[in-house]
Amino acid sequence: MRNLCMTVSFDGTAYNGFQTQPGGNTIQDHIEEAIRLLTGETVKIHGSGRTDAGVHARSQVFHFHTSSAIPVERWCLALNARLPDDIIVTSAREVPLSFHSRRSAKRKTYRYTINANQFPDVFQRRYQVHHPGKLDIPAMQQGLEYLIGTHDYTSFASRHSTKTSHVRTIYNARIEVDTSMSRAGTRDQGVLHTYITGNGFLQHMVRIIMGTLIQVGEGKRSPEDMLRILQAQDRSAAGPTAVSQGLMLWSVEYDELDDKS
Amino acid sequence: MRNLCMTVSFDGTAYNGFQTQPGGNTIQDHIEEAIRLLTGETVKIHGSGRTDAGVHARSQVFHFHTSSAIPVERWCLALNARLPDDIIVTSAREVPLSFHSRRSAKRKTYRYTINANQFPDVFQRRYQVHHPGKLDIPAMQQGLEYLIGTHDYTSFASRHSTKTSHVRTIYNARIEVDTSMSRAGTRDQGVLHTYITGNGFLQHMVRIIMGTLIQVGEGKRSPEDMLRILQAQDRSAAGPTAVSQGLMLWSVEYDELDDKS
């Protein structure tokens, strides 16, 4: 028995999220079917975590056990030939049997993208939320900083969260503003990429942070409200859950695998 | 009667090209329908040129005559609300009645994108051609330079071209290599964006240039073959027509309108 670890990129627009669920049409379902077509084996893959319906991944990591003797360097092309063109396996390696894509993960980074230019970007429209109204970006950056550290993030977790502890650590959170598509002399404010890196994330956590942070940008809340919301440990203190299409699982890092990103 | 000039971005994947044709479902059809829904007028819009089925535009320019009194600053939002989300009007202005988007155009730039990394980019897959095989990029750059200048481009025009003259001027042609998505230690060669600027382009001209240039990159032809093909003035001397999805109308420039791009 071998343990294979792979990275996969996907456009989540057409799927019901990463993990298998009763409604079907998940990324996991399609990957398991591709493995079955390739090897004849029925395997269960384990992702580094779930992603919601409509969320994208630049680099999700999963592992599975297989009896197949197919050399590791053949897997990517062989699976991609059996996958839809919005799911692409980009690396494969053999790992110790003790490796687990979720339990072994040390850090994860998500990116959330807001297009604050006057018009949507037709070529990025599936991967960003369009917000042409005025946003106070420095206030958003300030608000985001209150979330860095080790905290109980109950206020930023779905009420349906089943985790026994809501304590997590956010190592880094920053907004990068890309003005390359902004036109001079207009109200274009740029494209805001918010990167949040932590040791783990609760259900809807990044989307609730972003929904609240957009309210800070709109002037409906102050940056300091982010701290008060955090301290409240109450979901109703925070803002709405931002839509899924702006969210992308950017990278998953492991101690054992130095170039997993 | 007013003459309005607009710029439009579109993802051409789902359409039968820019210009109205018997099969319907063109960009022009959708824009004219949006204008009719907005103003009640049946107008004919005039693009700066045609684009083939599946070709994209960052910035196509069109004009039309209207009796509508809607202020020019209201048009973009009003039309976008009546257009599918893969067609976005990004500017509108009133121009002299003598302005014609095709006849007044001075320079046009097209971009053709080849992903020469080992795997497709799932988020750019509709806007680039994937070519994981080895490409000799310096040879391609050298071959491209033979095309700059004023020449008869019959060899690089569709046999169905109805133009009386195939003499055009290419002002600039260059390949930019973006390695930001390339992974160290792999066979990833980068994403090749080829920009070609000229005073006008014949039917399929950029796609035939690119289909031939890819053969130069593959070592099937020498860079100097580009000159010999040009001099042959014979379509059969050139390579195949590259697929449309890699092509994007990048900009159209006018003397009269300094910020049309």
Side-chain angles (χ1 to χ4, degrees):
Chain A
M1 187 65 66
R2 304 156 75 198
N3 192 11
L4 297 185
C5 171
M6 302 191 178
T7 52
V8 59
S9 273
F10 58 84
D11 175 341
T13 307
Y15 299 101
N16 293 327
F18 184 80
Q19 186 164 299
T20 295
Q21 53 142 337
N25 190 36
T26 64
I27 307 293
Q28 181 177 347
D29 295 342
H30 284 275
I31 294 173
E32 289 175 352
E33 174 64 6
I35 295 170
R36 195 187 63 75
L37 290 169
L38 177 63
T39 66
E41 284 181 320
T42 300
V43 305
K44 181 165 155 51
I45 67 168
H46 301 268
S48 76
R50 306 178 180 207
T51 56
D52 294 332
V55 172
H56 317 289
R58 187 187 74 124
S59 192
Q60 162 73 304
V61 175
F62 65 91
H63 79 277
F64 61 98
H65 294 170
T66 177
S67 309
S68 165
I70 297 173
V72 74
E73 65 275 14
R74 303 255 179 95
W75 279 86
C76 290
L77 281 178
L79 289 180
N80 289 337
R82 292 161 177 83
L83 282 166
D85 73 353
D86 46 9
I87 303 175
I88 302 176
V89 176
T90 58
S91 78
R93 69 177 64 199
E94 193 164 345
V95 289
L97 279 170
S98 62
F99 175 87
H100 189 287
S101 58
R102 179 170 49 77
R103 289 196 290 267
S104 308
K106 289 292 179 276
R107 293 156 61 101
K108 265 188 199 178
T109 300
Y110 279 93
R111 184 182 85 170
Y112 196 93
T113 300
I114 300 165
N115 177 355
N117 292 329
Q118 197 177 355
F119 298 108
D121 177 342
V122 75
F123 306 114
Q124 295 295 319
R125 68 191 187 282
R126 294 162 178 257
Y127 317 121
Q128 51 185 223
V129 172
H130 186 225
H131 188 295
K134 174 74 185 147
L135 286 175
D136 182 341
I137 299 169
M140 293 170 72
Q141 285 169 320
Q142 191 188 333
L144 198 52
E145 283 174 23
Y146 289 112
L147 303 186
I148 296 173
T150 300
H151 302 287
D152 182 312
Y153 292 95
T154 298
S155 295
F156 297 102
S158 163
R159 289 189 180 85
H160 303 293
S161 169
T162 55
K163 303 288 178 181
T164 49
S165 167
H166 288 168
V167 175
R168 297 289 183 278
T169 300
I170 291 181
Y171 300 113
N172 191 11
R174 67 182 200 284
I175 302 174
E176 287 185 4
V177 183
D178 175 0
T179 56
S180 64
M181 297 293 289
S182 304
R183 300 154 306 156
T186 69
R187 283 170 294 158
D188 284 356
Q189 300 168 93
V191 173
L192 282 57
H193 296 293
T194 301
Y195 294 87
I196 303 182
T197 301
N199 64 350
F201 291 88
L202 302 165
Q203 190 182 7
H204 293 176
M205 182 166 153
V206 179
R207 291 168 57 194
I208 298 170
I209 290 173
M210 292 309 304
T212 312
L213 205 61
I214 289 169
Q215 294 186 324
V216 172
E218 290 168 337
K220 293 175 182 165
R221 294 179 187 267
S222 71
E224 295 74 21
D225 279 350
M226 295 300 282
L227 178 60
R228 283 189 280 270
I229 293 165
L230 188 64
Q231 290 168 341
Q233 299 187 21
D234 175 2
R235 171 67 185 90
S236 67
T241 307
V243 300
S244 59
Q245 74 174 46
L247 186 61
M248 188 177 290
L249 174 55
W250 192 253
S251 62
V252 188
E253 293 168 75
Y254 299 87
D255 284 345
E256 301 96 311
L257 303 166
D258 52 2
D259 59 350
K260 273 282 152 282
S261 69
Chain B
M1 188 64 66
R2 304 156 76 199
N3 192 11
L4 297 185
C5 171
M6 302 190 177
T7 53
V8 60
S9 274
F10 58 83
D11 175 340
T13 307
Y15 300 101
N16 294 325
F18 183 81
Q19 186 165 300
T20 295
Q21 52 141 337
N25 191 36
T26 64
I27 307 294
Q28 180 178 347
D29 295 342
H30 284 274
I31 295 173
E32 290 175 353
E33 174 64 6
I35 296 170
R36 193 187 65 73
L37 290 169
L38 177 62
T39 66
E41 283 181 320
T42 300
V43 305
K44 181 165 154 52
I45 68 168
H46 301 269
S48 76
R50 306 177 180 206
T51 56
D52 293 333
V55 172
H56 316 290
R58 187 187 74 125
S59 192
Q60 162 71 306
V61 176
F62 65 89
H63 79 277
F64 62 97
H65 295 169
T66 177
S67 307
S68 165
I70 297 171
V72 74
E73 64 275 14
R74 302 254 179 95
W75 279 86
C76 291
L77 282 178
L79 289 180
N80 289 337
R82 292 162 177 84
L83 282 166
D85 73 354
D86 48 8
I87 304 176
I88 301 177
V89 175
T90 58
S91 78
R93 69 177 63 199
E94 193 165 345
V95 289
L97 280 170
S98 61
F99 175 87
H100 189 285
S101 58
R102 179 171 49 77
R103 288 195 292 266
S104 307
K106 289 291 179 273
R107 293 157 61 100
K108 267 190 198 176
T109 299
Y110 280 94
R111 184 182 85 170
Y112 196 93
T113 300
I114 300 164
N115 178 354
N117 291 331
Q118 198 177 354
F119 297 108
D121 177 343
V122 74
F123 306 114
Q124 295 295 319
R125 68 191 187 281
R126 294 163 179 258
Y127 317 121
Q128 51 185 222
V129 172
H130 186 226
H131 188 294
K134 174 73 185 149
L135 286 175
D136 183 340
I137 299 170
M140 293 170 73
Q141 286 169 320
Q142 191 189 333
L144 198 53
E145 284 175 21
Y146 289 111
L147 302 185
I148 296 173
T150 300
H151 303 288
D152 183 311
Y153 291 96
T154 298
S155 295
F156 297 102
S158 162
R159 290 189 179 86
H160 303 294
S161 169
T162 55
K163 302 289 178 182
T164 49
S165 167
H166 288 167
V167 175
R168 296 289 183 279
T169 299
I170 291 181
Y171 300 114
N172 191 10
R174 68 182 198 283
I175 302 175
E176 288 185 5
V177 184
D178 175 359
T179 56
S180 64
M181 297 293 288
S182 304
R183 300 154 307 155
T186 68
R187 285 170 293 159
D188 285 356
Q189 301 167 93
V191 174
L192 282 57
H193 296 293
T194 302
Y195 294 88
I196 305 182
T197 301
N199 64 351
F201 290 88
L202 301 165
Q203 190 181 7
H204 293 175
M205 183 167 153
V206 178
R207 291 169 56 195
I208 297 169
I209 289 173
M210 292 308 304
T212 311
L213 205 61
I214 288 169
Q215 294 186 323
V216 172
E218 291 170 338
K220 293 176 182 166
R221 295 177 186 269
S222 71
E224 296 74 20
D225 278 350
M226 295 300 281
L227 178 61
R228 282 189 280 271
I229 293 164
L230 188 64
Q231 290 168 339
Q233 299 188 20
D234 175 3
R235 171 66 186 90
S236 66
T241 307
V243 299
S244 59
Q245 76 176 45
L247 186 60
M248 189 178 288
L249 174 55
W250 192 252
S251 62
V252 188
E253 292 168 76
Y254 298 87
D255 284 346
E256 300 97 311
L257 304 167
D258 50 5
D259 60 350
K260 273 282 154 284
S261 70

